[in-house]
Amino acid sequence: MKKLMNQPNSVVDEMIEGYEAAYPQYVKILPQNKRSVVSVDTVRPGKVGVVIGGGSGHEPAFMGVIGKGFVDGVPVGNVFASPPPDPILEVTKAVDGGAGVIYMYGNYAGDCMNFDMAAELAAMEGIRVETVLVTDDVASAPKSDIDRRRGIAGGFLVFKSAGAAADKGYSLDEVVRVARKANDQTRTMGVALSPCSVPQTGKPSFVLADDEMEIGLGIHGEPGVERGKLKTADEVADALLDRIIDDMPLTPDDRVAVLVNGLGSTTYMEQFIMYRRVAARLANLGVKVHRSFVGEFVTSLEMGGCSITIMKLDDELAEMIDHPVDTPMYVQK
């Protein structure tokens, strides 16, 4: 499986260097740690610092949304691996404006361990840190065990909600409240059509036959809930949306944000075909799409496939989703 790279073990550091070189008006690498990337202009006194992060390979997550109205800093891990505590702590100190810092990341064991260690180290330096885990992946655990669910593409909407609250001057407790509400109202289901390969191995992360797909497969290749023959786009969209609605029922006059997320090698043509079906289904239910997002937000290197995310909105969450942002990979007026 071909990749444009130099040495496999240098891909992450060279990616970060290239990112800073491409977007110096948005981001900078901290001299204290080359895996610590922060905004050049969003940190201000009295504002809650917003820190997200995780492994590389999910670009534009997570560095792509550093900027106004969104995220203040990102510690960067190796491919599909959590960042260690050191870069997390350096980012935390850099984005602290005196009002505390919120950590948000997907619910994975390595991330939980390392971010918790960084939070303890930050507390020793007088910085209050609160954490909100993203748990939007319906396929990863039953509803009765929702706290065990993984965080996938729905994190984009959760991060955006919290970033907006922080930008509006909310206190840390209020930013945490908004983030938790956003997470509670967000569900995602994905489908994989083809694997990716990690640079260090060059081998497929899983195996699917040319005529197969897998519902619910995780963004690191974690097993899904159903494998079978490839179906039409409408059938796949229905299968994903049915599982979401079964987990988070929608009723007429509900308002939602919808995100169709490509996993790395799925064309925009395919993504819009998927969105077309989702929009039609929601319209038939009497559900209003308040805002839609189609594109690559949380990828898995060059994996083929996509996910559908639904966030159920109230007036507050709608305001957060509508909040303007200016970042390298996503701009909203």
Side-chain angles (χ1 to χ4, degrees):
M1 303 182 81
K2 301 174 183 177
K3 295 185 185 294
L4 291 171
M5 62 182 181
N6 296 310
Q7 298 299 319
N9 290 332
S10 67
V11 292
V12 174
D13 292 334
E14 291 181 356
M15 173 189 69
I16 296 171
E17 291 170 8
Y19 189 71
E20 180 192 45
Y23 302 109
Q25 70 273 39
Y26 288 101
V27 301
K28 62 183 177 182
I29 301 170
L30 292 178
Q32 301 93 318
N33 195 300
K34 62 183 179 181
R35 295 292 185 89
S36 300
V37 185
V38 300
S39 170
V40 298
D41 65 357
T42 64
V43 179
R44 61 181 188 263
K47 175 187 174 298
V48 171
V50 179
V51 174
I52 66 172
S56 299
H58 302 303
E59 293 73 35
F62 300 91
M63 294 186 299
V65 293
I66 296 175
K68 294 178 180 177
F70 221 133
V71 170
D72 300 307
V74 170
V76 183
N78 286 327
V79 176
F80 295 173
S82 170
D86 287 350
I88 303 172
L89 178 61
E90 295 303 334
V91 167
T92 304
K93 293 190 291 186
V95 306
D96 175 39
V101 175
I102 183 171
Y103 287 171
M104 293 177 290
Y105 49 89
N107 186 26
Y108 298 92
D111 289 309
C112 292
M113 178 180 68
N114 289 338
F115 275 91
D116 283 351
M117 289 177 63
E120 293 176 3
L121 294 171
M124 294 172 63
E125 302 210 20
I127 303 173
R128 180 188 169 198
V129 173
E130 296 291 340
T131 297
V132 175
L133 300 180
V134 178
T135 56
D136 61 306
D137 184 6
V138 174
S140 56
K143 193 171 184 178
S144 60
D145 211 1
I146 198 167
D147 288 343
R148 288 184 50 244
R149 286 181 174 173
R150 303 182 293 243
I152 50 176
F156 174 83
L157 300 179
V158 178
F159 302 154
K160 188 178 190 309
S161 299
D167 194 42
K168 288 174 176 288
Y170 285 27
S171 69
L172 179 56
D173 288 338
E174 285 292 284
V175 173
V176 168
R177 179 188 61 78
V178 169
R180 287 179 177 159
K181 179 163 72 168
N183 182 65
D184 289 344
Q185 299 300 316
T186 302
R187 302 289 190 278
T188 302
M189 277 292 300
V191 60
L193 306 182
S194 61
C196 63
S197 65
V198 176
Q200 284 78 5
T201 68
K203 297 178 180 180
S205 53
F206 56 91
V207 177
L208 278 175
D210 290 343
D211 62 347
E212 283 187 322
M213 66 178 193
E214 185 162 351
I215 299 288
L217 190 137
I219 56 174
H220 308 110
E222 299 94 340
V225 295
E226 178 185 339
R227 179 176 289 203
K229 297 298 183 181
L230 180 63
K231 298 180 179 179
T232 67
D234 284 357
E235 290 173 320
V236 173
D238 286 345
L240 301 182
L241 192 58
D242 286 345
R243 289 177 182 269
I244 290 172
I245 294 174
D246 182 62
D247 197 84
M248 184 180 69
L250 298 174
T251 58
D253 298 323
D254 276 342
R255 286 182 296 164
V256 298
V258 179
L259 186 153
V260 173
N261 172 68
L263 290 175
S265 66
T266 302
T267 64
Y268 273 81
M269 176 184 289
E270 296 163 90
Q271 293 175 44
F272 283 120
I273 291 171
M274 292 287 287
Y275 181 81
R276 164 188 170 274
R277 181 64 171 183
V278 173
R281 285 283 309 277
L282 294 175
N284 287 338
L285 291 172
V287 174
K288 179 183 177 182
V289 177
H290 179 78
R291 189 177 285 269
S292 58
F293 305 82
V294 179
E296 293 186 337
F297 298 89
V298 181
T299 64
S300 185
L301 294 170
E302 75 276 26
M303 187 183 291
C306 72
S307 61
I308 294 170
T309 300
I310 304 291
M311 175 188 273
K312 191 183 293 188
L313 303 175
D314 60 9
D315 288 343
E316 182 179 47
L317 287 179
E319 181 182 350
M320 301 304 159
I321 291 300
D322 288 342
H323 189 71
V325 299
D326 183 11
T327 76
M329 297 299 177
Y330 184 74
V331 176
Q332 181 175 301
K333 302 297 185 182

